[in-house]
Structure formats: C-alpha cells, structure tokens
Amino acid sequence: MPVLTRLVPSPVFVEIRPGALDALAGILADQRLSAAGRIAIAISNGSGSRLRARLEPALPGADWYNVDDGSLDAAVRLADQMRAGHYDAIVGLGGGKIIDAAKYAAARVGLPLVAVATNLAHDGICSPVSTLDNDAGRGSYGVPSPIGIVVDLDVIRQAPQRFVAAGIGDVISNISACADWELSHSVTGEPVDGLAVAMARSAGENLLRHPGNLQDKDLLTALAEALVLSGIAMNIAGSTRPSSGACHEISHALDVLYPKRSAQHGEQVGLGAAFASFLRGERELTGLIVERLARHGLPVTAAQIGFTEAEFTEAVHYAPNTRPGRFTILEHLDLSPSAIRDAYADYVQAVND
C-alpha cells in the first residue's frame, strides 16, 4: 500500500510570548530571513508609529513605510514604493488593516511577509486573504499567507480591550462557519476538508470554553494561537470556508448596507454566529455563544451595535448576495424578510430570558 501524505501550508515560525517584539531582529536573523536586516516595515500612523522609535535602534538596515489606511489603493502604493528597495522580506507591523495591506503588497513584489500583530482583532494575521477597501466597498483578495507570525503579549495587553474581544468573536464564529460547511455537504454534496474543520472548530471551541478574562496571559496566548490555527485552516481548505459562513455573510451585508456605521468585524461575526446557530435550531450552542460573547463585552443583539430590528432584518436578507455560490443556513432556509424578522424577535427573546 502506498504511503500517502499531504503538505500543510503554514508559517515557517510563530512567536507568541511577552517581549517578542524586542527580539524581532534576532528572530529574522535566526530564521534566515534577513541576517543583514535589509527589510521593509509597513506601519500605521497609530500603534506602528509608536513602536518605531523602540525598534529602530535594533533594525538599522530597515526602511519604514507609513500606510495611510486599509484600502486597495494604499496597498498598491506600498508595493510601488518598495519595488526599488532590494529587500529580504517585508514586515507588517500593526493591526489588521496594515497587515492586510502589507500581505497584498508583499504578493505584488514577490517577497515573504512577517506579520507582527499589535492587536488580535481578527484572524487576518495568518490568513491567505487580504480584505481591503475599494471603490465598490470592500473586497477580499487571495494572497500568500505570512511566512512568520510575531505576537508580543505585552504589546497586546496595551491594545484597546474592544479589539481583543473582537478577536474572540471572530474565532468563536468558526464553530458556526464549520456547521454551515457541513450543512452544505449534506444538502449540496460540497466536499468538506476534515482537517481544516478540525483545526478551525478546535480553535473556536477553545475560546468558547476558556475561563480567562481579557487581561489573562493564558487567554491572550490561546486567542493568538487560535487566530493562527484559523489562518492555517483556511490555507488547508484553499478558501475562507472553515472560518466564514452565514456569520460572515451577515457581517459583510452590514458593511455594504451601512458602511459608515458598521462595528468591529469580530463583533459583527460573533453576533452573526449566534443568530445563525439559532436559525439552525442549535439552542444549546446559541446559549453558549451568547454567554461567552457577553462575558467579554461583545454584542449579542443588533441594538447593541446600533442597528434596529428592521436594519438587521434587511442585512440578513441581503447577506447571501455577499458570497455568491456559498451555501449556508441562510441559503438553505431562504427566509423572507418577515420570517427573518420573526426569527430575530424569537432570538432576542431567547437571549433576554
């Protein structure tokens, strides 16, 4: 019998610990990425700029590039600026928008990217996708995932707790996304990658049941590891399927319909996961998700992020349009606006009981 194996695309290194940022130069040298420190570092005007003075003495050969925002135009400008630099690697230092812009720019110039996260708001730190604002609203672009991940837990503790909590919402939504994938398999015959599901769902379950609070080292470590596992699961699947189902369709719909009012991505997908689980009839799971979201200060109703029942109903009805061809509980039930409104009213009553 032949021995069959599969290659799992994953980062070459993952450093999650206190003080990791101060060791960045040594990490890059030890991993044979840039012994001479000839790197391009993309930063925001926020956390990245504040950390630049701290890092510059240890990275004398680095060039620093300010990225204005998380738009496609900014990512293209970054790539154009770096083309003449003859760098060994690119470092994206900051939150999700900067890392997504750096991932896209690295893909355009053909250089490896190291993601250095200053918050844990969503799973983009390791995913093979860049989510960038464009003229049509927001788009997702396939890119190589980062070759390395660095998370300094001391820096993460200084990030706004709302961002850390949003990351928990994003990871927990994996549970709902995997359930949607398995639903599609049973109804449409869509193939399911069991390894991708195992990694994504395990990451979500770990955060769903973790007893820690937002300042606990153990919880922050578990969250960072879960975000990495989510990214690897997407690499294995070759798509966002293990981490994106009805939960993300609802969030994307809120972004499209109310672009000036949308909340944190992790806040929206957490709420979307709770409601999608309710629609699937998974009452016990819905209760667990709601309890865990509320424990970390995350919204469990649309009103808590500033949307009326009518607006949330409109978003849920529009949601399938955001991912054509993806089958979730929303496509399966194909509810009318009035049926969505009634289901949401039942959900809110269940949440408040």
Side-chain angles (χ1 to χ4, degrees), residues 15 67 99 120 180 189 195 240 322 342 345:
E15 293 277 348
V67 181
I99 290 176
L120 299 176
D180 277 331
L195 180 58
T240 59
T322 67
D342 291 345

Side-chain angles (χ1 to χ4, degrees), residues 70-331:
S71 68
L72 179 60
D73 287 344
V76 171
R77 280 197 301 273
L78 176 62
D80 291 343
Q81 290 169 346
M82 293 188 301
R83 286 189 188 281
H86 304 291
Y87 301 112
D88 300 320
I90 297 171
V91 171
L93 172 63
K97 290 183 179 180
I98 299 308
I99 290 176
D100 276 354
K103 283 194 292 187
Y104 186 89
R108 284 179 70 98
V109 299
L111 287 173
L113 173 81
V114 177
V116 182
T118 57
N119 70 57
L120 299 176
H122 67 78
D123 59 18
I125 63 173
C126 190
S127 74
V129 176
S130 285
T131 302
L132 301 168
D133 296 328
N134 56 38
D135 292 339
R138 183 167 294 172
S140 296
Y141 304 89
V143 295
S145 60
I147 196 171
I149 310 292
V150 177
V151 178
D152 188 326
L153 297 180
D154 291 332
V155 173
I156 298 302
R157 282 198 185 93
Q158 298 170 19
Q161 289 202 355
R162 183 184 179 190
F163 293 160
V164 180
I168 293 173
D170 202 5
V171 172
I172 287 176
S173 76
N174 288 1
I175 301 169
S176 178
C178 289
D180 277 331
W181 198 2
E182 290 170 337
L183 172 67
S184 180
H185 175 69
S186 65
V187 176
T188 72
E190 179 185 356
V192 169
D193 190 307
L195 180 58
V197 167
M199 296 185 77
R201 184 153 51 203
S202 294
E205 290 281 355
N206 190 19
L207 269 297
L208 182 66
R209 302 174 193 281
H210 199 290
N213 62 48
L214 297 177
Q215 286 297 311
D216 287 348
K217 176 187 173 184
D218 286 347
L219 178 64
L220 295 179
T221 301
L223 174 56
E225 291 173 348
L227 294 172
V228 171
L229 287 176
S230 295
I232 295 173
M234 287 184 266
N235 270 310
I236 292 170
S239 75
T240 59
R241 199 49 157 130
S243 297
S244 174
C247 48
H248 280 62
E249 289 182 335
I250 292 170
S251 178
H252 294 319
L254 291 170
D255 291 339
V256 170
L257 296 176
Y258 314 107
K260 303 296 185 182
R261 296 168 52 200
S262 55
Q264 288 284 321
H265 173 78
E267 294 173 337
Q268 293 182 172
V269 299
L271 169 59
F275 184 56
S277 299
F278 186 84
L279 290 178
R280 284 192 299 271
E282 299 169 328
R283 297 298 188 264
E284 181 179 357
L285 175 60
T286 302
L288 287 171
I289 292 175
V290 166
E291 186 279 329
R292 191 54 44 171
L293 295 178
R295 174 186 174 90
H296 295 301
L298 289 160
V300 296
T301 66
Q304 292 173 350
I305 50 175
F307 294 106
T308 66
E309 178 186 275
E311 289 170 336
F312 188 72
T313 296
E314 182 184 12
V316 174
H317 189 250
Y318 180 81
N321 295 303
T322 67
R323 284 293 180 270
R326 182 155 293 185
F327 190 88
T328 75
I329 188 63
L330 299 181
E331 288 80 5

